[in-house]
Amino acid sequence: MKQAVLEVKGLTKYFGDVAANKDISLSLDKHEILAIVGENGAGKSTLMRIMSGVYQADAGEIMIEGEKKQMLSPKDGIDNGISVIWQEFSLMPHLTVAENILIDELNTGKKIVNWSEFYRKARAILDELGYSNIDERSAVGSLSTSQQQVVEICKALSRKSKILVLDEPTALLASQEVEKLFGILKRLREQGVSIVYISHRLEEIFALSDRITVLKDGELVGTI
């Protein structure tokens, strides 16, 4: 029996008189990659922002592992195990790879950081994804786009995120890099991470996803 990690029920969001999302309900199971597709203006980005706490819905509810949650800020999303990797990365280019991956540890207010342990932890996360070629001490700004995306995924893993949402993740990647990203996502699925994959590239969606949800004009068309 499948277990729903995330459920959204009747989510509705208006901007003025326009319904960006209207009565949307869907679920995400453990060990699942759920693709969400739709044209520009279909409501995909608004739905992502509601699920992660950037926007608050006007109606509806969000359930995490059967428990109703209030997503009033992005911190609420992170605290509830949801990490979003946007098209525009939220990395700090002047900081090292390790500092970006473990940024939460630097924001705890502790005055003393065990740097050798800090870099070891970041190294372990990179190695887990198979990226021994990324130096944890390098500045993020010196990395390629695909490598920066890996750093974003590593940051989510450092937060023990159980739900990973990716917004058009292959838009700037070469075909070889896309294949490597797919390998990462499939391994994460096997490890119990649930993934929401937003893309307009149907060939990728059919190759990667377990189910596909279609949105149009802010409404749910269906899930297959």
Side-chain angles (χ1 to χ4, degrees):
M1 183 176 178
K2 291 192 175 182
Q3 175 187 0
V5 175
L6 169 70
E7 294 175 273
V8 299
K9 300 180 178 180
L11 281 192
T12 298
K13 178 67 176 178
Y14 279 89
F15 294 101
D17 296 329
V18 177
N21 287 158
K22 188 175 180 181
D23 194 28
I24 292 178
S25 297
L26 57 82
S27 66
L28 174 69
D29 294 331
K30 194 170 184 179
H31 297 284
E32 180 180 40
I33 298 177
L34 173 68
I36 298 181
V37 301
E39 298 176 349
N40 289 339
K44 304 186 301 296
S45 295
T46 300
L47 180 60
M48 288 170 57
R49 285 172 167 80
I50 293 172
M51 289 192 301
S52 60
V54 177
Y55 293 161
Q56 287 74 55
D58 297 318
E61 59 186 26
I62 299 173
M63 311 281 288
I64 305 290
E65 296 182 329
E67 185 177 345
K68 185 177 178 179
K69 299 291 185 179
Q70 280 193 312
M71 300 294 187
L72 302 178
S73 69
K75 184 178 184 302
D76 288 335
I78 292 169
D79 289 346
N80 283 291
I82 300 175
S83 285
V84 180
I85 298 177
W86 306 99
Q87 283 192 60
E88 295 183 2
F89 303 142
S90 58
L91 299 173
M92 287 173 264
H94 61 288
L95 296 183
T96 66
V97 168
E99 288 168 327
N100 274 277
I101 291 173
L102 301 172
I103 190 68
D104 294 346
E105 294 193 16
L106 298 179
N107 290 331
T108 59
K110 292 182 180 178
K111 294 182 179 180
I112 298 176
V113 177
N114 184 334
W115 287 105
S116 60
E117 176 65 12
F118 186 85
Y119 283 111
R120 186 199 65 77
K121 288 170 66 174
R123 178 75 265 153
I125 297 172
L126 286 163
D127 289 344
E128 182 182 350
L129 290 188
Y131 278 85
S132 58
N133 61 321
I134 297 180
D135 184 353
E136 68 275 16
R137 297 174 184 268
S138 294
V140 157
S142 69
L143 302 183
S144 67
T145 299
S146 62
Q147 289 175 325
Q148 290 185 30
Q149 189 173 66
V150 168
V151 174
E152 285 277 26
I153 294 174
C154 288
K155 183 166 66 174
L157 295 180
S158 77
R159 291 169 169 168
K160 308 298 182 186
S161 298
K162 51 197 170 191
I163 299 166
L164 186 62
V165 182
L166 296 103
D167 179 25
E168 299 285 356
T170 63
L172 300 175
L173 301 185
S175 57
Q176 187 175 7
E177 295 168 334
V178 170
E179 289 180 15
K180 195 157 188 179
L181 172 64
F182 281 14
I184 292 173
L185 298 181
K186 289 175 180 178
R187 286 205 306 276
L188 292 176
R189 174 178 60 186
E190 291 169 3
Q191 295 167 10
V193 177
S194 301
I195 297 166
V196 176
Y197 187 92
I198 294 176
S199 177
H200 66 279
R201 298 182 177 181
L202 294 180
E203 68 279 5
E204 293 181 1
I205 287 167
F206 290 131
L208 181 68
S209 59
D210 300 299
R211 291 189 298 149
I212 303 171
T213 289
V214 181
L215 301 182
K216 183 177 182 180
D217 298 329
E219 298 188 51
L220 177 69
V221 175
T223 299
I224 56 174

